[in-house]
C-alpha cells in the first residue's frame, strides 16, 4: 500500500518517478509528508521547482523531518520556496480530524 490517491497516468516519466520516490522514502511519516504534497502539487511544479523537490527527496528522513517540524534550522541551500510550500502544506491552525 503506497497511500497515494493520485494517478500517475497523466504525468511525464520524471514526475512519475518523483511521485513514486515521494511515497517510498523510508519511514512512513516522511512518506506521508512528501507523498501527500506530491499528490497535490506534482502536476503543477515547474521544472525548476521539481529540481528543488527532487533535492529534498535526497535529504535523509531524520534531517528533513527536523527541518519541517522546526526542531533544527533549515540550511539555506534547502530553504527554497518549494520547501516552504511543503512545510506550509502540512501546517494546521486547528486540530486535525481523523
Amino acid at each position: 500500500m503506497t497511500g497515494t490517491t493520485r494517478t500517475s497516468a497523466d504525468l511525464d516519466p520524471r514526475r512519475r518517478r518523483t511521485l513514486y520516490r515521494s511515497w517510498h522514502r523510508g519511514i512512513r511519516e516522511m512518506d506521508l509528508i512528501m507523498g501527500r504534497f506530491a499528490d497535490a502539487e506534482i502536476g503543477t511544479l515547474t521544472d525548476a521547482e521539481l529540481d528543488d523537490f527532487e533535492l529534498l527527496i535526497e535529504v535523509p528522513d531524520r534531517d528533513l523531518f527536523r527541518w519541517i517540524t522546526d526542531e533544527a534550522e533549515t540550511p539555506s541551500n534547502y530553504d527554497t520556496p518549494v520547501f516552504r510550500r511543503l512545510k506550509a502544506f502540512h501546517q494546521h491552525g486547528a486540530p486535525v480530524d481523523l
Side-chain angles (χ1 to χ4, degrees):
M1 179 177 152
T2 65
T4 187
T5 57
R6 187 193 199 293
T7 180
S8 62
D10 63 332
L11 299 175
D12 61 71
R14 180 182 180 198
R15 291 178 197 301
R16 283 183 189 169
R17 183 175 52 252
T18 302
L19 179 63
Y20 178 86
R21 290 177 63 213
S22 298
W23 278 106
H24 295 86
R25 291 191 44 88
I27 63 171
R28 187 66 179 148
E29 292 83 354
M30 290 309 299
D31 291 351
L32 292 169
I33 289 170
M34 298 297 281
R36 287 181 176 169
F37 178 79
D39 276 357
E41 302 290 332
I42 197 80
T44 62
L45 294 175
T46 66
D47 286 341
E49 290 170 333
L50 193 55
D51 290 343
D52 289 343
F53 187 65
E54 289 171 333
L55 287 175
L56 291 172
I57 288 174
E58 298 300 324
V59 173
D61 287 336
R62 175 182 286 210
D63 295 338
L64 187 55
F65 187 80
R66 289 174 51 131
W67 302 341
I68 290 170
T69 60
D70 291 326
E71 291 179 34
E73 186 174 336
T74 307
S76 61
N77 58 319
Y78 289 104
D79 191 14
T80 64
V82 171
F83 173 76
R84 290 189 293 277
R85 277 174 58 188
L86 170 68
K87 190 172 175 179
F89 183 83
H90 292 290
Q91 291 180 339
H92 303 280
V96 177
D97 293 329
L98 299 176

